[in-house]
C-alpha cells in the first residue's frame, strides 16, 4: 500500500511528540523522535492503515467505537454535508431540530421498557454525569434530598471527568485528583474466574448480591440515589454477570427506592448482539448511558435514555431540567447517528454478531485456552478478554512481570502481527478484543490465528513452557 500522506512517518511522529498530548499514555516513553507512536491515517472495513501503509486489523474497534468499521465514510459524509448545509448547528436548549427529535424517537423505540426520553451529550463521561444529575433531580422532586450517594463496582471504568471519575473504581486514576465529587461505595465485581469467596454460579450471584446489600445497609438505604453498572464490565476484562445477577440488582434497587443505571457506553449498539446490552441481561434499567457506538464514532456523541417514571418530575409545572451541554444533540452528529442505525439495519449488523458469537467463542477457547499464558477466555458478543497468568492457572504476574509483558512485549508484538488489541491490568492482566461488528468469519479467523501466535510468543518471552 502506497504512502498517501505527504508527511513522512518520522516527521509526523516527531511533531506529535512535540505538540500532541496522548490520553492515558506514557507520553515520555515514545522516544525523543516519537518513533514508538502508531500514526493511523486510513480505514477500510475492519482494518486501519498507518502512515507507512501497514495494515492492522482493528480488534479494538478504536476503543469500542467503530461498530460498522471504516467503509461508510462517503455515506456518512453525504448525510453530514446535507445537515451542515441545512442547519449546521443549533442546540437542544429550549429549541430543537429534526435530527435530534428523530434520533430521540428512534432510540426510544429501540430501548427496553419505557425508556422513552433521551438527553444528548458529547460522550460517555458526560452521559454518566448527566445520568447522575437526572437521578438527583428525580429524588429531590420526590422529597428525598438525602439520596446523595451511589453504589458502583470495583475497578469499573465510568469515565474521567471529575463527576464521572467518582463512579470509576480504579484507585490509581482517582487518588491524584483529591476527594471525589460524588460519594460512591464500590462493591464486588462479577469476576467468575477469581470469584468472591470462591463461589460459583447461583451461589456467586447470591454472594455478590449479599455484598451489595451489605454496602447499601451500611451506607443507609435511604441515602443512596443510584446503582451504576455495565451489563458486561470492561475493566478487569469482559466480566459477565453470573445467572440472575441483574434481576437481583434490579430487585435490590426497587426494594430500597434506588435508581438503576446501566452504563452501556461500551455494551450498547451491538457489542453484545443487541441494541442495548441490558436486553441480553433481560433487565429494564431506569437510565441507560451510551456514547461510542451510537454513531460508530463517525461523529462524537453520547446520550442518556431515561424512563418515563424518572423523567416525570421534569415535566411538572415550574420544573426545570438543571443541566445542559452546548454540543449535546449536535444536528450533524444526530444525523450521523440516524444513518448509523440505518446502516446497522441494512447491513444486518446485530444479526452478524449473533450468528458468529458461538463460533467465535469456540474458536477463541480452542486456540487460546491451551496456551500456557492464557488462563481464562471470557466475554460475550464481540467483546472478549483473555486472562494472562504466570504459568499456574491461578498465578497472577507480579508488578515486574506485568510491566515486561503488558507494556514491554505485547504492544510491539501485536503491532508486528498487524493487530490492534488491548493489553490491560486495571484488574488482573488481560488481553482484550472488541472487533468491528461487521467483521466476517474469515477476518475473525485470521484475527484469532494472529492472537494465538502473539500469545504463544508472549508465553515464551515470559519463560513459560507448554504443559
Ligand atoms: N463509561 C464506560 C463504561 C466507558 O467504557 C467509558 C469509556 O470508555 C466511559 C463511560 C467514558 O466515556 P468517554 O471516554 O466517551 O468520556
Amino acid at each position: 500500500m502506497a504512502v498517501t500522506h505527504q508527511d513522512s512517518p518520522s516527521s509526523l511522529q516527531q511533531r506529535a511528540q512535540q505538540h500532541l498530548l496522548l490520553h492515558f499514555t506514557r507520553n515520555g516513553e515514545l522516544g525523543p523522535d516519537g518513533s514508538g507512536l502508531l500514526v493511523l491515517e486510513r480505514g477500510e472495513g475492519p482494518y486501519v492503515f498507518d502512515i507507512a501503509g501497514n495494515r492492522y486489523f482493528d480488534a479494538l474497534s478504536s476503543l469500542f467505537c467503530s461498530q460498522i468499521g471504516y467503509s461508510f465514510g462517503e455515506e456518512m459524509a453525504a448525510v453530514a454535508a446535507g445537515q451542515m448545509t441545512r442547519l449546521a448547528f443549533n442546540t437542544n436548549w429550549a429549541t430543537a431540530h429534526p435530527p435530534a427529535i428523530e434520533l430521540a424517537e428512534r432510540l426510544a423505540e429501540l430501548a427496553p421498557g419505557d425508556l422513552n426520553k433521551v438527553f444528548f451529550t458529547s460522550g460517555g463521561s458526560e452521559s454518566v454525569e448527566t445520568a447522575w444529575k437526572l437521578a438527583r433531580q428525580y429524588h429531590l422532586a420526590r422529597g428525598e434530598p438525602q439520596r446523595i450517594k451511589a453504589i458502583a463496582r470495583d475497578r469499573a471504568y465510568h469515565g474521567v471527568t471529575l463527576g464521572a471519575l467518582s463512579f470509576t473504581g480504579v484507585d490509581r486514576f482517582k487518588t491524584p485528583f483529591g476527594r471525589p465529587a460524588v460519594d460512591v461505595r464500590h462493591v464486588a465485581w462479577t469476576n467468575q474466574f477469581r470469584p468472591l469467596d470462591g463461589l460459583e454460579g447461583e451461589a456467586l450471584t447470591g454472594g455478590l448480591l449479599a455484598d451489595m446489600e451489605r454496602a447499601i445497609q451500611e451506607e443507609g438505604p435511604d441515602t443512596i440515589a443510584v446503582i451504576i453498572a455495565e451489563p458486561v464490565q470492561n475493566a478487569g476484562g469482559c466480566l459477565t454477570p453470573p445467572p440472575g445477577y441483574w434481576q437481583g440488582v434490579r430487585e435490590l434497587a426497587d426494594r430500597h427506592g434506588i435508581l438503576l443505571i446501566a452504563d452501556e457506553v461500551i455494551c450498547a449498539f451491538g457489542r453484545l448482539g443487541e441494541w442495548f446490552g441490558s436486553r441480553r441481561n433481560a433487565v429494564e434499567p431506569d437510565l441507560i448511558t451510551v456514547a461510542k457506538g451510537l454513531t460508530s464514532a463517525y461523529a462524537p456523541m453520547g446520550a442518556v435514555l431515561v424512563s418515563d417514571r424518572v423523567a416525570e418530575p421534569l415535566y411538572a409545572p415550574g420544573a426545570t431540567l438543571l443541566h445542559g451541554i452546548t454540543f449535546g444533540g449536535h444536528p450533524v452528529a444526530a444525523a450521523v447517528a440516524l444513518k448509523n442505525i440505518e446502516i446497522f439495519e441494512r447491513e444486518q449488523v446485530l444479526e452478524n454478531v449473533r450468528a458468529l458469537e458461538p463460533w467465535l467463542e469456540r474458536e477463541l477457547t480452542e486456540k487460546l485456552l491451551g496456551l500456557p499464558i492464557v488462563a481464562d477466555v471470557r466475554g460475550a458478543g464481540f467483546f472478549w478478554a483473555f486472562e494472562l497468568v504466570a504459568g499456574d492457572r491461578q498465578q497472577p504476574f507480579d508488578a515486574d512481570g506485568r510491566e515486561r509483558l503488558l507494556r514491554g512485549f505485547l504492544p510491539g508484538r501485536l503491532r508486528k502481527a498487524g493487530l490492534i488489541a488491548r493489553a490491560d491490568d486495571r484488574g488482573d492482566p488481560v488481553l482484550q478484543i472488541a472487533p468491528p461488528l461487521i467483521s466476517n468469519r474469515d477476518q475473525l479467523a485470521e484475527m484469532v490465528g494472529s492472537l494465538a501466535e502473539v500469545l504463544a510468543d508472549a508465553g515464551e518471552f515470559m519463560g513459560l513452557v507448554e504443559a
Side-chain angles (χ1 to χ4, degrees):
M1 176 59 58
V3 176
T4 53
H5 202 283
Q6 60 186 12
D7 291 298
S8 72
S10 58
S11 144
L12 276 165
Q13 287 165 327
Q14 206 161 14
R15 284 155 58 204
Q17 182 68 3
Q18 278 162 5
H19 300 294
L20 183 64
L21 281 171
L22 300 169
H23 305 209
F24 276 114
T25 301
R26 293 181 182 176
N27 278 275
E29 293 188 7
L30 296 163
D33 54 358
S35 59
L37 178 63
L38 180 60
V39 182
L40 299 167
E41 69 158 356
R42 196 170 72 78
E44 194 180 308
Y47 300 100
V48 285
F49 297 80
D50 70 16
I51 188 85
N54 298 307
R55 190 185 84 163
Y56 304 86
F57 182 77
D58 185 3
L60 199 59
S61 293
S62 238
L63 214 53
F64 316 103
C65 287
S66 55
Q67 320 294 72
I68 60 171
Y70 297 93
S71 288
F72 295 93
E74 277 182 26
E75 212 173 326
M76 290 298 197
V79 159
Q83 186 56 46
M84 282 191 186
T85 317
R86 262 190 312 283
L87 177 70
F89 180 63
N90 217 290
T91 67
N92 289 177
W93 298 55
T95 59
H97 44 71
I101 296 167
E102 274 172 47
L103 180 59
E105 187 179 46
R106 270 314 263 128
L107 292 175
E109 281 164 15
L110 299 173
D114 70 340
L115 279 81
N116 288 318
K117 306 286 192 287
V118 182
F119 185 100
F120 289 114
T121 69
S122 319
S125 296
E126 281 182 6
S127 294
V128 167
E129 299 203 5
T130 299
W132 167 251
K133 288 172 91 173
L134 290 171
R136 278 289 298 152
Q137 280 209 251
Y138 169 82
H139 290 304
L140 282 165
R142 286 167 49 90
E144 293 202 273
Q146 82 290 350
R147 289 191 184 267
I148 53 167
K149 299 181 190 169
I151 301 283
R153 297 186 303 189
D154 284 338
R155 280 170 276 188
Y157 183 88
H158 295 291
V160 289
T161 50
L162 288 173
L165 189 63
S166 314
F167 303 97
T168 290
V170 188
D171 286 342
R172 70 176 192 272
F173 297 171
K174 302 175 65 154
T175 42
F177 306 105
R179 279 187 59 160
V182 180
D183 191 353
V184 181
R185 169 87 175 250
H186 289 90
V187 300
W189 60 2
T190 62
N191 188 337
Q192 299 189 59
F193 181 65
R194 299 180 191 279
L196 182 72
D197 299 331
L199 297 166
E200 277 179 30
E202 283 170 17
L204 175 59
T205 305
L208 292 168
L209 294 173
D211 179 70
M212 191 178 278
E213 169 118 54
R214 196 162 39 247
I216 292 170
Q217 293 298 349
E218 283 171 11
E219 296 295 328
D222 69 346
T223 68
I224 298 179
V226 304
I227 298 169
I228 183 168
E230 294 162 88
V232 172
Q233 182 171 326
N234 176 38
C238 300
L239 301 172
T240 56
Y245 174 81
W246 271 89
Q247 283 69 28
V249 173
R250 176 75 269 183
E251 187 279 323
L252 267 179
D254 288 343
R255 182 146 48 86
H256 295 299
I258 300 168
L259 295 179
L260 179 57
I261 304 173
D263 184 353
E264 300 210 17
V265 167
I266 289 177
C267 291
F269 300 102
R271 184 55 55 205
L272 306 183
E274 299 283 347
W275 286 111
F276 293 93
S278 291
R279 276 207 194 277
R280 186 154 174 152
N281 293 333
V283 145
E284 291 176 12
D286 300 300
L287 302 110
I288 295 182
T289 51
V290 298
K292 300 186 187 267
L294 168 59
T295 56
S296 288
Y298 280 80
M301 187 177 217
V304 184
L305 284 79
V306 189
S307 72
D308 288 333
R309 173 173 74 108
V310 173
E312 193 186 320
L314 302 172
Y315 291 84
T320 302
L321 201 176
L322 296 171
H323 189 57
I325 293 167
T326 302
F327 286 158
H330 193 295
V332 176
V336 166
L338 280 165
K339 181 54 83 176
N340 183 48
I341 291 171
E342 187 191 309
I343 292 170
F344 257 72
E345 287 174 335
R346 192 182 74 214
E347 304 291 326
Q348 305 207 311
V349 172
L350 299 184
E351 290 79 356
N352 188 53
V353 176
R354 288 177 196 153
L356 288 175
E357 177 183 344
W359 168 84
L360 181 60
E361 176 171 16
R362 268 198 316 277
E363 192 75 358
L364 289 168
T365 307
E366 250 170 49
K367 301 267 161 54
L368 305 186
L369 201 51
L371 298 169
I373 200 168
V374 178
D376 193 29
V377 171
R378 57 180 178 248
F382 275 18
F383 188 34
W384 292 87
F386 324 114
E387 184 158 334
L388 308 178
V389 288
D392 178 304
R393 258 176 67 75
Q394 293 289 336
Q395 192 190 333
F397 284 105
D398 60 15
D400 175 57
R402 288 169 180 230
E403 195 58 30
R404 287 199 305 126
L405 175 64
L406 301 178
R407 283 162 287 272
F409 180 81
L410 278 174
R413 183 62 185 86
L414 284 164
R415 208 157 140 178
K416 206 170 133 211
L419 206 55
I420 295 179
R422 185 183 223 183
D424 185 48
D425 64 346
R426 283 172 292 182
D428 299 296
V430 289
L431 186 65
Q432 209 178 14
I433 57 157
L437 309 182
I438 42 80
S439 307
N440 65 32
R441 198 175 163 125
D442 289 347
Q443 292 161 338
L444 293 172
E446 200 183 324
M447 171 196 73
V448 178
S450 302
L451 284 167
E453 284 172 18
V454 168
L455 289 173
D457 286 358
E460 239 172 71
F461 176 79
M462 297 305 288
L464 311 180
V465 283
E466 295 278 351

